[in-house]
Amino acid sequence: MNVLTAKYVSSEDTLTVILNGEIDHHSAQSIREEIDRQIYAHRAKTVYLDLKNVGFMDSSGLGLILGRYTHTKEAGGVLKILNPGASAQRVMKLAGTDKIIPIEWD
Amino acid sequence: MKKKIVNETEFSFPAKSVNESFARYAVSSFCAQLDPTIEELSDIRTAVSEAVTNAIVHGYRDTGEGRVYIKVRILEERTLVIIVKDTGCGIADITLAMTPLYTGDPSGERGGMGFSIMESFTDDLKVRSSVGHGTTVTMIKRLSKL
Ligand SMILES: Nc1ncnc2c1ncn2[C@@H]1O[C@H](COP(=O)(O)OP(=O)(O)OP(=O)(O)O)[C@@H](O)[C@H]1O
Ligand SMILES: [Mg+2]
């Protein structure tokens, strides 16, 4: 029912994680280790979390983003958010994560 | 004057994380009879998701044990009352717990924004809790006029 999947696209110095589904505590829990493995395997300069296919996100999504922000930094890169939908934008704005984690659109 | 109850539902489920999406969609489906806007439905889903997740993660410490109880009331004048209850560990200091960015979870995977989201996505939020007995979160959402 509520599955969250990730696709990974990498180039020379970027890793793009394209998330697909709804982000809540249940789905975030099942995917964060997989994402971290990719972050540490690629050690890209920039890691993009692409949210264009994420229709719903609550505070557990914020937690997923903040956790990956920390791990990306540890792996020597920066995390950026790509294409957040209305739901994601609202919670990020409320939490003020948009001040530390840049948002971009493509 | 107290508003009359127009309709109501209640249900409960085991405190398993897989039920978080079921809970938010069950509540939003029930509220759909009032023809809310897409934004209002999204507010309801997010607020319910926060309360239910807190019950599962904090109330029952993510053990999968225990039950989460939900009651939804539709009152006159397009007013919704959503009650999410657990009989878990309870909250010792509610004011601290409701402080934006406060989290009792040391994992680095929580931003401490759940209560702030419930507060900003609904019109009223009340939390009652008793250590060792559980927590009840009551949210009121007034839908815009048709
Ligand atoms: N039902 C509950 N039972 C016991 N403790 C709770 C309950 N709900 C909230 N708390 C306590 O209140 C704190 C703050 O809750 P809040 O939802 O604001 O943040 P969080 O759950 O820690 O993080 P986030 O919601 O951003 O993932 C929690 O960390 C927890 O200590
Ligand atoms: Mg929470």
Side-chain angles (χ1 to χ4, degrees):
Chain A
M1 190 164 76
N2 180 26
V3 278
L4 177 65
T5 56
K7 268 199 331 201
Y8 303 90
V9 180
S10 62
S11 70
E12 220 179 298
D13 38 52
T14 70
L15 168 68
T16 306
V17 182
I18 307 167
L19 293 171
N20 209 311
E22 303 200 333
I23 312 182
D24 62 12
H25 154 248
H26 180 75
S27 67
Q29 207 174 25
S30 66
I31 209 154
R32 60 175 183 240
E33 281 168 19
E34 177 194 311
I35 299 175
D36 288 342
R37 273 199 298 278
Q38 295 280 339
I39 290 174
Y40 286 108
H42 287 88
R43 294 188 178 269
K45 257 199 203 121
T46 309
V47 175
Y48 288 104
L49 271 188
D50 192 333
L51 303 181
K52 66 168 170 273
N53 299 323
V54 172
F56 173 89
M57 181 179 120
D58 64 14
S59 68
S60 299
L62 279 176
L64 184 73
I65 292 171
L66 289 169
R68 280 354 93 209
Y69 169 80
T70 309
H71 284 289
T72 303
K73 229 163 66 179
E74 254 170 50
V78 261
L79 183 80
K80 293 181 179 176
I81 301 295
L82 265 187
N83 310 313
S87 171
Q89 279 185 63
R90 287 182 72 198
V91 294
M92 288 191 292
K93 196 148 196 250
L94 193 66
T97 55
D98 52 336
K99 294 196 187 76
I100 49 165
I101 305 171
I103 298 175
E104 292 179 12
W105 273 268
D106 68 5
Chain B
M1 208 176 64
K2 249 183 116 180
K3 290 195 179 97
K4 279 206 197 87
I5 298 169
V6 178
N7 199 359
E8 64 182 329
T9 184
E10 42 188 311
F11 58 98
S12 72
F13 49 87
K16 295 181 191 307
S17 65
V18 68
N19 289 325
E20 290 155 5
S21 65
F22 158 70
R24 63 179 178 266
Y25 282 101
V27 173
S28 72
S29 311
F30 183 72
C31 298
Q33 62 192 279
L34 290 177
D35 219 355
T37 64
I38 291 180
E39 174 142 327
E40 285 166 341
L41 268 184
S42 160
D43 291 352
I44 292 164
R45 260 178 221 145
T46 313
V48 169
S49 201
E50 296 303 343
V52 169
T53 303
N54 278 353
I56 293 173
V57 174
H58 304 300
Y60 297 115
R61 303 204 159 99
D62 229 342
T63 55
E65 305 285 321
R67 288 186 86 77
V68 180
Y69 302 85
I70 295 190
K71 189 183 277 188
V72 188
R73 280 198 173 133
I74 297 174
L75 306 183
E76 293 169 309
E77 294 168 18
R78 300 172 61 69
T79 302
L80 291 165
V81 182
I82 302 166
I83 301 165
V84 178
K85 188 182 120 179
D86 68 68
T87 56
C89 67
I91 303 173
D93 186 339
I94 296 179
T95 312
L96 175 67
M98 293 178 77
T99 308
L101 304 177
Y102 169 83
T103 180
D105 179 309
S107 70
E109 297 287 337
R110 314 224 142 259
M113 285 304 292
F115 280 128
S116 305
I117 289 174
M118 289 180 245
E119 217 154 25
S120 93
F121 287 24
T122 64
D123 295 295
D124 191 46
L125 168 68
K126 284 210 168 57
V127 182
R128 277 193 302 137
S129 191
S130 158
V131 173
H133 296 279
T135 302
T136 303
V137 171
T138 304
M139 296 178 280
I140 294 179
K141 177 95 181 152
R142 291 179 202 95
L143 302 181
S144 56
K145 290 207 179 71
L146 283 176

